């Protein structure tokens, strides 16, 4: 069990960190001994207080003076090298003079960011940054685009796990991996333009014609577009007047059928705009006029019923829900009225969001949000593949958006070829296999039709996700699974107080896959990870499980 010593101002972020690294822990209690003591800043270790002490601080602390630990450099914003990966540090960071093990080092100076101090009965790992300030920055401000590709928060967890397992202390955790699968995949679709017929000579139509005729030609000449697709786009432009007078099929309107055909019952989530012609607000007043949508949920009621009947989820693609509780309620209710159910999930149109949005959405009745992501790139804004509870929220979970089709392919953003996009997605699916969690993607409603024609990459992504063991869940189901894992509590075993019992303390979540208790047996000191399946055993459970001693929760 980990005992944590930190300032009370850090308590909320520490509690959230240990929902993501789901292992037995508590704030240090007087007179209690712990196998691992995690302390920050000047909360240094008392002698003999734990077998392993993890002392995080990005500044010189009294322990450094006591032990005469030489500090080579101190800076803000640095990148640490850890097992062939990079961990960006957004706050203070120090490097030590002594030569370290090479596990964690400043990428520029190659100096170690960990100093190991060994007493007879205790190992202190002095780590040169402020862990919980980093976690707070990730969960609030998020990562800049330059580091989007790095699951930084998950790497902080991996490093801590490594240090504990390598020290020989027994460790258990409930990893973010559903029973029977390698990770979760959540396929979503923002419904922005369900029908081209609703657009007359507006910016949407003009943009369509320009991209279908000229941008397609450019892509064809660069070898990025097959001639078949180029001709299909041109044909669509020729057909457009006939679509408007009702003599040709509206080629954007068939998106539900096409997604159902490709996904074959995997169950995706469609985020739908509640009201037509409502541009909503941004931080400075009315939003730009072209944020207003050419449709409202009522206009595509038949499609929403088709989605629900096929096992898909319909969520709110919000207009003002991000900043106004009354509007958020109204928007959620409108989707519920049209579908005849209740709507509890949100992604904001144009990804509008600020620090108060989690509280606003939660007070309006939302259970999850899936807005936090990047418009211009793909990756991990909060540095994690996991759903997390924003620090301002009491219950609402954020199911971050990791991949948006427009970010991959639009020239103003990444502007990738199909092949390049597949390469990036392949690495991201690799991260899922390594860290677990939920990969959330957004392929827009019109992305399979002219002029985008982005289905080849989507087909390849689905095949990759299936091949590597994803559990495909709607956003609501993925949220339920994370809630079930968050509801796990650890307590001393019923018969053996040195053993541990993990149990789910909620009756919800029975319809989603079970959990696994991962037991690292401790004993011998080990080399540092990656941890093979020989180092741990997974015990699958749905409601409760007993892990064998010596994985005690308290002594
Ligand atoms: Zn949108």
């Amino acid at each position: 069990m980990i005992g944590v010593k930190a300032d009370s101002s850090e308590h909320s972020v520490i509690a959230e960190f240990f929902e993501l690294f789901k292992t037995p822990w508590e704030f240090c209690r007087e007179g209690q001994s712990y196998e691992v003591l995690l302390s920050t800043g000047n909360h240094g270790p008392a002698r003999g207080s734990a077998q392993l002490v993890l002392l995080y601080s990005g500044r010189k602390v009294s322990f450094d003076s006591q032990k005469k630990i030489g500090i080579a450099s101190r800076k803000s914003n640095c990148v640490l090298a850890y097992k062939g990966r990079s961990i960006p540090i957004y706050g203070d960071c120090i490097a030590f003079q002594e030569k370290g093990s090479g596990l964690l080092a400043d990428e520029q100076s190659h100096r170690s960011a960990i100093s190991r101090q060994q007493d007879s009965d205790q190992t202190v790992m002095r780590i040169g940054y402020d862990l919980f300030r980093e976690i707070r920055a990730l969960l609030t401000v998020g990562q800049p685009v330059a580091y989007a590709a790095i699951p930084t928060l998950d790497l902080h967890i991996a490093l801590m796990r490594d240090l504990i397992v390598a020290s020989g202390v027994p460790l258990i955790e409930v990893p973010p991996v559903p029973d029977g699968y390698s990770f979760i995949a959540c396929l979503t679709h923002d419904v922005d333009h369900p029908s081209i017929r609703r657009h007359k000579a507006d910016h949407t139509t003009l943009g369509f014609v320009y991209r279908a005729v000229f941008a397609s030609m450019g892509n064809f000449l660069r070898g990025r577009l097959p001639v078949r697709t180029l001709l299909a786009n041109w044909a669509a432009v020729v057909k457009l007047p006939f679509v408007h007078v009702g003599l040709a099929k509206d080629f954007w309107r068939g998106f539900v059928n096409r997604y159902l055909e490709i996904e074959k019952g995997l169950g995706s989530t469609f985020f739908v705009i509640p009201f037509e012609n409502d541009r909503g607000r941004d931080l400075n007043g009315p939003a730009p006029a072209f944020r207003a949508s050419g449709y409202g949920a009522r206009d595509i009621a038949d499609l929403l019923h088709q989605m629900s009947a096929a096992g898909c989820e319909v969520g709110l693609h919000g207009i003002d829900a991000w900043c106004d509780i009354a509007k958020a309620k109204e928007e959620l209710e409108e989707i519920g009225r049209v579908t005849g159910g209740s709507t509890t999930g949100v992604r904001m149109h144009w990804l509008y969001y600020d620090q108060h949005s989690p509280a606003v959405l939660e007070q309006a009745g939302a259970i999850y949000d899936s807005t936090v992501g990047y418009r211009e790139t793909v990756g991990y804004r909060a540095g994690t593949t996991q759903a997390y509870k924003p620090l301002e929220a009491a219950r609402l979970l954020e199911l971050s958006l990791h991949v948006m089709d427009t970010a991959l392919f639009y020239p103003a953003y990444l502007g990738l070829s199909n092949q390049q996009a597949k390469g990036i997605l392949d690495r991201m699916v690799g991260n899922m296999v390594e860290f677990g969690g939920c990969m959330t993607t957004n392929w827009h409603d019109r992305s399979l039709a002219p002029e985008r024609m982005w289905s080849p990459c989507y087909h390849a992504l689905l095949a990759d996700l299936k091949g590597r063991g994803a559990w495909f869940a709607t956003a609501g189901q993925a949220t339920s699974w994370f809630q079930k894992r968050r509801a796990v509590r650890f307590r001393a075993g019923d018969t053996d107080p040195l053993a541990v019992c993990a149990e789910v303390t909620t009756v919800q979540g029975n319809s989603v896959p079970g959990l696994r208790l991962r037991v690292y047996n401790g004993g011998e000191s080990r080399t540092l990870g990656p941890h093979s399946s020989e180092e741990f055993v997974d015990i699958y459970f749905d409601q409760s499980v007993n892990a064998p001693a010596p994985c005690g929760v308290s002594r």
Side-chain angles (χ1 to χ4, degrees):
M1 170 127 169
I2 303 174
V4 182
K5 253 191 202 177
D7 288 337
S8 56
S9 62
E10 292 184 306
H11 282 196
S12 62
V13 69
I14 293 170
E16 186 52 28
F17 175 80
F18 281 108
E19 289 297 345
L20 305 177
F21 182 20
K22 190 83 188 179
T23 185
W25 74 282
E26 64 179 22
F27 291 114
C28 281
R29 286 182 291 137
E30 202 61 43
Q32 183 71 36
S33 68
Y34 299 94
E35 286 143 333
V36 180
L37 176 71
L38 197 170
S39 68
T40 61
N42 269 321
H43 297 274
R47 259 204 74 77
S49 52
Q51 193 177 329
L52 173 67
V53 177
L54 304 175
L55 174 53
Y56 285 88
S57 178
R59 278 150 294 169
K60 185 172 175 153
V61 293
S62 46
F63 179 80
D64 302 332
S65 312
Q66 280 164 29
K67 295 286 174 182
K68 301 190 171 57
I69 301 174
I71 290 171
S73 67
R74 179 187 156 186
K75 49 188 172 181
S76 296
N77 297 318
C78 70
V79 180
L80 302 179
Y82 164 61
K83 292 194 333 198
R85 286 187 175 258
S86 300
I87 305 184
I89 300 294
Y90 299 105
D92 294 330
C93 182
I94 53 180
F96 300 102
Q97 270 167 357
E98 70 180 274
K99 215 172 156 344
S101 62
L103 175 70
L104 188 71
D106 186 312
E107 277 193 353
Q108 276 182 334
S109 69
H110 305 292
R111 293 226 179 236
S112 181
I114 291 190
S115 169
R116 185 174 194 272
Q117 302 293 316
Q118 182 69 56
D119 284 345
S120 57
D121 53 352
Q122 175 169 282
T123 306
V124 179
M125 293 299 224
R126 171 74 179 90
I127 302 140
Y129 62 87
D130 296 287
L131 174 65
F132 297 118
R133 285 187 199 190
E134 295 301 315
I135 303 299
R136 180 182 293 278
L138 291 168
L139 295 185
T140 52
V141 184
Q143 304 198 96
V145 167
Y147 296 125
I150 305 175
T152 307
L153 199 158
D154 301 325
L155 287 166
H156 285 301
I157 294 174
L159 171 65
M160 187 183 290
R161 180 189 298 116
D162 258 5
L163 294 172
I164 295 172
V165 173
S167 75
V169 171
L171 176 76
I172 60 170
E173 66 172 318
V174 178
V177 185
D179 179 7
Y181 302 92
S182 306
F183 60 92
I184 305 171
C186 181
L187 310 173
T188 74
H189 310 293
D190 288 359
V191 180
D192 289 333
H193 303 92
S195 154
I196 198 164
R197 194 174 285 145
R198 301 186 76 87
H199 298 275
K200 306 296 179 223
D202 64 3
H203 75 280
T204 299
T205 302
L206 296 176
F208 162 76
V209 171
Y210 169 80
R211 288 190 296 266
V213 176
F214 301 105
S216 294
M217 187 65 194
N219 280 334
F220 169 71
L221 293 174
R222 288 156 76 201
R224 286 182 165 199
L225 201 70
V227 67
R228 202 165 14 97
T229 312
L230 175 72
L231 294 178
N233 283 349
W234 285 2
V237 174
V238 174
K239 251 196 273 175
L240 192 53
F242 301 97
V243 171
H244 280 293
V245 295
L247 290 174
K249 221 169 81 189
D250 185 334
F251 44 80
W252 283 1
R253 175 105 187 153
F255 72 96
V256 178
N257 282 335
R258 296 215 54 200
Y259 277 117
L260 293 182
E261 198 182 297
I262 292 177
E263 291 165 359
K264 295 191 177 65
L266 295 176
S268 50
T269 303
F270 292 83
F271 291 103
V272 175
I273 286 182
F275 304 114
E276 185 186 6
N277 289 331
D278 184 357
R279 63 168 81 172
R281 300 204 312 255
D282 64 15
L283 282 174
N284 307 312
F290 58 102
R291 183 171 180 252
S293 167
Y295 86 102
R298 284 160 197 249
D299 301 318
I300 56 165
D302 56 330
L303 297 180
L304 303 198
H305 291 132
Q306 190 190 357
M307 294 166 192
S308 302
C312 294
E313 179 183 339
V314 180
L316 166 67
H317 202 31
I319 303 292
D320 281 328
W322 67 281
C323 64
D324 183 324
I325 298 172
K327 288 278 183 72
K329 277 188 183 155
E330 213 179 293
E331 293 179 8
L332 282 163
E333 279 166 14
E334 176 66 5
I335 305 295
R337 251 193 302 275
V338 179
T339 57
S342 72
T343 303
T344 52
V346 181
R347 174 173 304 132
M348 293 307 305
H349 186 41
W350 287 22
L351 307 187
Y352 276 21
Y353 213 68
D354 73 6
Q355 67 185 100
H356 306 299
S357 300
V360 170
L361 292 171
E362 177 171 272
Q363 286 174 60
I367 288 176
Y368 73 86
D369 169 77
S370 184
T371 303
V372 175
Y374 299 98
R375 186 195 301 247
E376 61 277 70
T377 189
V378 297
Y380 314 98
R381 184 160 210 139
T384 179
T385 60
Q386 296 196 43
Y388 62 93
K389 184 173 75 61
L391 300 178
E392 304 80 5
R395 292 173 311 280
L396 176 126
L397 293 191
E398 178 61 42
L399 198 65
S400 302
L401 172 58
H402 301 124
V403 176
M404 191 144 76
D405 53 0
T406 42
L408 290 170
F409 297 118
Y410 264 9
Y413 301 143
L414 296 174
L416 304 177
S417 69
N418 250 324
Q419 220 39 45
Q420 291 167 323
K422 280 180 199 167
I424 286 190
L425 293 173
D426 179 65
R427 283 196 289 283
M428 291 183 76
V429 179
N431 283 336
M432 301 310 301
V433 173
E434 183 171 351
F435 297 107
C438 177
M439 179 159 169
T440 306
T441 64
N442 175 19
W443 236 252
H444 284 80
D445 52 351
R446 62 171 161 148
S447 295
L448 306 180
E451 80 314 322
R452 291 184 176 172
M453 307 287 264
W454 293 336
S455 60
C457 184
Y458 194 58
H459 275 287
L461 173 63
L462 292 191
D464 195 16
L465 291 166
K466 275 184 205 165
R468 292 206 256 179
W471 171 48
F472 289 88
T474 62
Q477 289 167 332
T479 304
S480 291
W481 188 85
F482 280 104
Q483 279 167 337
K484 179 173 176 169
R485 173 171 173 256
R486 294 173 73 92
V488 169
R489 296 287 174 272
F490 300 100
R491 61 175 175 78
D494 293 323
T495 50
D496 180 354
L498 292 185
V500 67
C501 175
E503 61 191 0
V504 180
T505 55
T506 172
V507 287
Q508 285 149 9
N510 287 334
S511 56
V512 294
L515 304 160
R516 58 181 82 195
L517 185 71
R518 183 160 292 175
V519 181
Y520 297 84
N521 261 327
E524 302 265 303
S525 287
R526 295 159 197 278
T527 50
L528 288 156
H531 303 293
S532 66
S533 49
E534 289 145 31
E535 286 177 278
F536 60 75
V537 282
D538 278 347
I539 309 170
Y540 299 94
F541 72 106
D542 201 54
Q543 287 304 314
S544 79
V545 66
N546 284 291
C551 297
V553 284
S554 63
R555 294 275 155 110

